[in-house]
Amino acid sequence: MKTNFKLIIQYLGTSYNGWQYQPTAPTIQNAIESAFKKILHKNKQNINLIGSGRTDSGVHALGQVANIKINTNLSEKDIRNAINANLPGDIYISDCSVVDLDFNARFSANKRCYIYKIDREYTPFNNKFSWFNDNDINIDLLEKSAELILGKHNFSLLSKSNPEITNKDCNIYFSRWNTDMNQLIYTIKGNRFLHHMVRYLVGSMVEVGKKNISLNEFNNLLNNESNNLSIFKAPAHGLYLKKVYYE
């Protein structure tokens, strides 16, 4: 009988073409599934790792969640240790637990949290893990634009166009900027997120803070009212999937 294991995963996305499996490019899913195949090589079976969602190329994760159903006598601790021993150093399984067979990391999730990091002073130690931006940014305008995001909106104008996704409505429960030394950190929680949505939001809010876009124009974008603005997308390397909620 198969056992369903839930994994909490941390990774640096710099060297990967995102989460989802690709036959000719390195991805997080590829790496973890390959590690499972190594530790289960004597017990040939289908390896299908289900992630809570796809992260783009270069995006990081502090708490990505995935589940996998396999036949094994290994304990949760043994699986965690064995998988980590077969993973590159930029991917780490921080937790492994047995869950109900009906648990699905993607479809059982009801809320997700992302953070975005902007550094105001350059350092070579952070240039792959935050967006260096030393422009004159009005923090008060950043905070006001973040407040406008709260609630339910159609994010068609603030996400990558995808005709296969007809529902562009997302409920945002938390949206806030915080300053920490010379760093700006944006936190957003919602029931779902569209492709590139957080990066478009951050890039557009920064444009508001630079006074290139007015709060009214930004609000029009949130209400899916086209105003022919050139929307800016923040770089991938400042974005982190922080946590996925299941209750």
Side-chain angles (χ1 to χ4, degrees):
M1 181 176 176
K2 289 186 181 294
T3 301
N4 195 11
F5 292 94
K6 174 185 175 184
L7 307 177
I8 309 297
I9 309 160
Q10 299 177 346
Y11 52 83
L12 300 176
T14 307
S15 302
Y16 300 92
N17 283 44
W19 165 268
Q20 189 177 19
Y21 173 83
Q22 296 181 36
T24 59
T27 70
I28 306 298
Q29 186 180 18
N30 289 27
I32 299 175
E33 287 187 347
S34 295
F36 268 102
K37 289 175 183 177
K38 288 180 182 179
I39 69 171
L40 299 173
H41 67 280
K42 294 181 179 179
N43 181 9
K44 293 184 179 180
Q45 55 187 295
N46 182 46
I47 301 299
N48 181 29
L49 186 71
I50 300 171
S52 69
R54 305 171 185 175
T55 52
D56 297 331
S57 176
V59 173
H60 316 295
L62 300 170
Q64 172 69 287
V65 179
N67 74 286
I68 186 168
K69 296 178 182 179
I70 54 175
N71 292 312
T72 182
N73 293 321
L74 293 172
S75 69
E76 299 103 308
K77 182 179 180 180
D78 289 338
I79 287 178
R80 175 177 174 271
N81 291 340
I83 295 299
N84 281 330
N86 285 280
L87 285 174
D90 48 8
I91 306 176
Y92 180 69
I93 309 300
S94 62
D95 188 68
C96 175
S97 60
V98 174
V99 291
D100 293 339
L101 285 173
D102 60 356
F103 174 83
N104 182 292
R106 179 183 177 188
F107 296 114
S108 299
N110 57 33
K111 185 164 58 176
R112 295 167 175 83
C113 176
Y114 285 87
I115 62 172
Y116 195 97
K117 297 182 178 181
I118 297 177
D119 272 316
R120 310 289 283 140
E121 289 189 0
Y122 180 80
T123 167
F125 300 106
N126 288 339
N127 63 0
K128 292 182 180 179
F129 312 117
S130 64
W131 177 19
F132 169 63
N133 191 323
D134 62 352
N135 287 289
D136 184 15
I137 299 173
N138 185 296
I139 305 302
D140 182 59
L141 288 174
L142 272 187
E143 294 173 344
K144 287 179 178 177
S145 60
E147 290 177 5
L148 291 175
I149 296 171
L150 291 169
K152 184 177 181 180
H153 302 278
N154 182 316
F155 288 91
S156 295
L157 297 179
L158 288 162
S159 63
K160 183 178 180 180
S161 177
N162 185 346
E164 295 181 2
I165 299 177
T166 57
N167 178 16
K168 302 295 181 69
D169 290 344
C170 302
N171 284 310
I172 304 303
Y173 311 117
F174 187 93
S175 173
R176 182 179 298 170
W177 285 93
N178 287 296
T179 57
D180 182 13
M181 299 295 288
N182 291 309
Q183 192 173 68
L184 300 173
I185 301 176
Y186 176 62
T187 303
I188 183 170
K189 298 178 185 177
N191 68 324
R192 62 196 290 262
F193 290 91
L194 306 177
H195 199 192
H196 292 172
M197 176 177 150
V198 179
R199 292 169 62 191
Y200 276 117
L201 284 171
V202 170
S204 299
M205 283 188 284
V206 167
E207 291 301 295
V208 173
K210 291 163 60 179
K211 300 183 180 180
N212 293 331
I213 298 177
S214 71
L215 280 171
N216 185 59
E217 289 173 321
F218 181 68
N219 194 50
N220 287 342
L221 292 174
L222 289 170
N223 291 323
N224 197 26
E225 297 175 3
S226 177
N227 44 19
N228 298 317
L229 288 175
S230 296
I231 307 305
F232 184 78
K233 181 171 62 177
H237 56 265
L239 182 60
Y240 297 74
L241 173 58
K242 183 178 181 181
K243 188 173 182 179
V244 184
Y245 299 83
Y246 293 92
E247 295 180 356

